[in-house]
Amino acid sequence: MKKQYGFFIDADRCIGCFTCAMACKNQNRLEPGIKWREVHPLDEAIYPHRDRAFYSLACNHCERPCCIEACPVSAYSKREKDGVVVHDQQKCIGCKNCVRSCPFGAPEYNPELNKAEKCSLCYQRLDAGLTPACAQGCPTRALQVVELSALDDADLLHYPPGFPAAKKLNPSVRFRSPRQPRIIRRKA
Ligand code: SF4
Ligand code: SF4
């Protein structure tokens, strides 16, 4: 199996603090309104409790990325050495084909630049032996960057409720479900 980096999202640990999303914006100097990572509260239909639970999501660096196929100027590429899907802004012509094609909503269109952009898995940090900024910033280790083949994913989910089951793409992400709140009943 080829080396493939991906995200482990441990919703059991996530406290919805948005530090991962802010660390991403800070690391990549993202303009106002542009988000490469978003922390999504789970819908009440999926998590019907007064407590809230969250998935922190970005580009999934898919095994078979449709953004690569959709782009007419080959602005997307997948790194052979670790499976990271990189977007080259120099090549991008802002046609939004990738934005429309990605079932996970990962590429963002930047109207100021007339370019698309997305999570790069901080490949420059990976190349320097550093942890990507989002995972580095997470205070609870709810978000981790992992080598998928080294992950014991026996009790993890690939397509949990609320996450698009785009199996053809094989997104490089695994989830642990949020815990069910403890119900404490008063004694009669
Ligand atoms: S999540 Fe979307 S943008 Fe990211 S690699 Fe997959 S298809 Fe491409
Ligand atoms: S930093 Fe960690 S705990 Fe906070 S929202 Fe992101 S994943 Fe959840």
Side-chain angles (χ1 to χ4, degrees):
M1 187 180 174
K2 276 190 185 169
K3 186 173 181 179
Q4 174 69 59
Y5 281 129
F7 293 110
F8 169 40
I9 292 155
D10 189 345
D12 192 33
R13 287 171 169 252
C14 182
I15 56 175
C17 65
F18 284 75
T19 307
C20 50
M22 291 303 105
C24 173
K25 276 186 84 78
N26 189 45
Q27 170 73 31
N28 297 293
R29 309 259 191 279
L30 301 186
E31 290 167 40
I34 300 290
K35 290 175 276 189
W36 292 1
R37 173 166 292 284
E38 181 65 289
V39 181
H40 298 268
L42 296 195
D43 199 270
E44 281 190 28
I46 297 169
Y47 192 72
H49 305 290
R50 199 165 64 175
D51 292 359
R52 297 290 359 110
F54 307 87
Y55 291 155
S56 170
L57 300 175
C59 170
N60 300 304
H61 302 272
C62 305
E63 184 190 1
R64 296 178 289 276
C66 62
C67 53
I68 291 184
E69 289 170 24
C71 180
V73 293
S74 303
Y76 285 88
S77 59
K78 187 167 177 67
R79 302 211 307 179
E80 194 64 31
K81 68 176 181 176
D82 56 15
V84 174
V85 175
V86 177
H87 176 255
D88 182 345
Q89 274 213 331
Q90 299 296 325
K91 291 184 179 174
C92 180
I93 56 172
C95 70
K96 302 189 204 169
N97 276 6
C98 57
V99 177
R100 287 186 286 266
S101 78
C102 174
F104 306 107
E108 288 251 308
Y109 175 68
N110 184 331
E112 295 292 321
L113 304 176
N114 185 30
K115 306 266 187 192
E117 48 188 270
K118 71 162 197 77
C119 158
S120 63
L121 229 166
C122 287
Y123 68 86
Q124 299 95 333
R125 289 178 65 92
L126 287 174
D127 289 347
L130 300 172
T131 302
C134 55
Q136 178 78 40
C138 178
T140 63
R141 286 183 54 78
L143 178 64
Q144 297 175 40
V145 172
V146 293
E147 217 267 88
L148 285 185
S149 65
L151 187 68
D152 178 6
D153 62 357
D155 61 347
L156 302 182
L157 301 172
H158 201 173
Y159 304 101
F163 182 71
K167 297 184 181 176
K168 202 173 141 198
L169 280 62
N170 193 12
S172 304
V173 62
R174 299 293 184 273
F175 296 82
R176 177 169 289 136
S177 301
R179 80 177 68 85
Q180 299 299 307
R182 267 198 317 151
I183 298 171
I184 300 169
R185 297 190 194 283
R186 263 195 284 176
K187 286 183 184 154

